[in-house]
Amino acid sequence: ADCDPNMADPREEKPRESGELREGSGQSHSNSRQMLESLLNRSMRIHMTDGRTLIGLFLCTDRDCNVILGSAQEYLKPTDSLAQGEPRVLGLAMIPGHHVVSIEVEMDSASSPQYM
């Protein structure tokens, strides 16, 4: 059978790297970036796999979903014998992405903090 000389040989195509953006995903990438930028310096509550909760200002994240909080405070997991006590002041804290269970962002409110 004759081969079309204009047709590309599929064996010559380079495989895509995992971080490479596909065509048409530029808009999605831009929207995601805008959403993250809108969260900068907002108060966040991060629940971790070991039961601790950190509350602080969202400063940055990376492709591994690590999060850096400023002015962070740590709340220990409440137990039956010990009520949740005073927070421990951490200051600048880095939370590894694989330890993040959930993230709540404080709503803009002049009253008491509300998280969404």
Side-chain angles (χ1 to χ4, degrees):
D2 289 354
C3 291
D4 184 352
N6 296 324
M7 187 175 233
D9 184 349
R11 293 171 292 181
E12 293 177 8
E13 282 188 16
K14 291 191 324 188
R16 288 187 192 265
E17 294 182 22
S18 61
E20 184 177 335
L21 293 175
R22 290 186 171 79
E23 236 179 279
S25 68
Q27 184 65 30
S28 173
H29 175 69
S30 176
N31 290 342
S32 298
R33 183 181 176 102
Q34 285 178 342
M35 192 273 299
L36 278 173
E37 286 177 354
S38 73
L39 297 176
L40 287 172
N41 297 311
R42 300 268 308 266
S43 183
M44 286 190 167
R45 176 181 293 161
I46 299 180
H47 299 278
M48 298 173 54
T49 55
D50 63 1
R52 291 180 294 162
T53 300
L54 298 181
I55 297 177
L57 300 178
F58 175 64
L59 298 181
C60 70
T61 187
D62 61 14
R63 69 178 64 208
D64 296 322
C65 298
N66 299 317
V67 177
I68 296 192
L69 294 180
S71 304
Q73 295 184 336
E74 174 189 51
Y75 294 85
L76 298 178
K77 175 174 67 171
T79 63
D80 293 337
S81 61
L82 185 66
Q84 190 165 353
E86 289 294 312
R88 182 169 76 146
V89 177
L90 301 178
L92 194 62
M94 192 282 282
I95 302 98
H98 63 274
H99 286 297
V100 174
V101 173
S102 67
I103 297 177
E104 301 170 48
V105 180
E106 185 178 338
M107 304 282 285
D108 289 325
S109 174
S111 63
S112 64
Q114 297 176 343
Y115 292 88
M116 60 180 199

